[in-house]
């Protein structure tokens, strides 16, 4: 945590961080952090440091996605620009598949 690059890019420590939404917390880093990495202008650690509760509040999910491009012969002369995405989906929200409760129509009615 004490390395200058970690101080200026604290978001890289988290895959996902959730905080209470605040108008003055728009970004987790600043372009100026590159020049003064030991004392960042803004940091997600500051956002998380106040330890405010999020239940019943508007929240912000700060998602960090990593991207690495390994060039290969097939890329030349056009370098592909692969995008990144994430999905938020429920996990085990129900005890069973809710579609299994659908009644069956008798064959003679079809």
């Amino acid at each position: 945590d004490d390395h200058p690059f970690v101080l200026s890019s604290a978001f890289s420590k988290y895959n996902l961080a959730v905080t209470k939404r605040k108008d003055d917390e728009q970004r987790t880093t600043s372009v100026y952090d590159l020049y003064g990495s030991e004392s960042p202008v803004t940091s997600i650690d500051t956002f998380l440091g106040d330890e405010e509760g999020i239940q019943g509040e508007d929240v912000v999910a700060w998602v960090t996605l990593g991207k690495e491009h390994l060039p290969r012969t097939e890329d030349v002369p056009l370098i592909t620009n692969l995008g990144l995405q994430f999905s938020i989906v429920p996990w085990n929200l129900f005890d069973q598949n809710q579609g299994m409760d659908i009644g069956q129509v008798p064959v003679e009615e079809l």
Side-chain angles (χ1 to χ4, degrees):
D1 277 0
D2 295 333
H3 191 279
F5 292 140
V6 174
L7 292 173
S8 65
S9 58
F11 63 88
S12 65
K13 298 187 296 184
Y14 310 98
N15 291 323
L16 173 70
V18 179
T19 62
K20 180 179 173 181
R21 185 190 178 284
K22 296 180 183 174
D23 288 336
D24 61 335
E25 294 178 351
Q26 297 291 318
R27 292 174 178 77
T28 60
T29 188
S30 166
V31 294
Y32 301 110
D33 292 341
L34 299 172
Y35 303 109
S37 59
E38 286 145 6
S39 56
V41 174
T42 185
S43 173
I44 194 166
D45 283 339
T46 306
F47 301 173
L48 295 170
D50 56 21
E51 298 183 9
E52 291 181 306
I54 60 172
Q55 184 144 357
E57 300 287 345
D58 291 337
V59 296
V60 176
W62 305 97
V63 180
T64 302
L65 301 173
K67 181 177 180 177
E68 182 176 353
H69 175 77
L70 300 174
R72 55 192 186 135
T73 307
E74 293 81 9
D75 289 339
V76 177
L78 301 173
I79 303 298
T80 58
N81 189 7
L82 305 175
L84 297 173
Q85 67 181 21
F86 73 96
S87 299
I88 298 176
V89 296
W91 190 268
N92 294 336
L93 184 62
F94 300 107
D95 293 333
Q96 63 184 16
N97 183 343
Q98 296 301 301
M100 301 305 288
D101 290 338
I102 298 173
Q104 294 186 358
V105 178
V107 177
E108 54 274 354
E109 291 182 19
L110 294 177

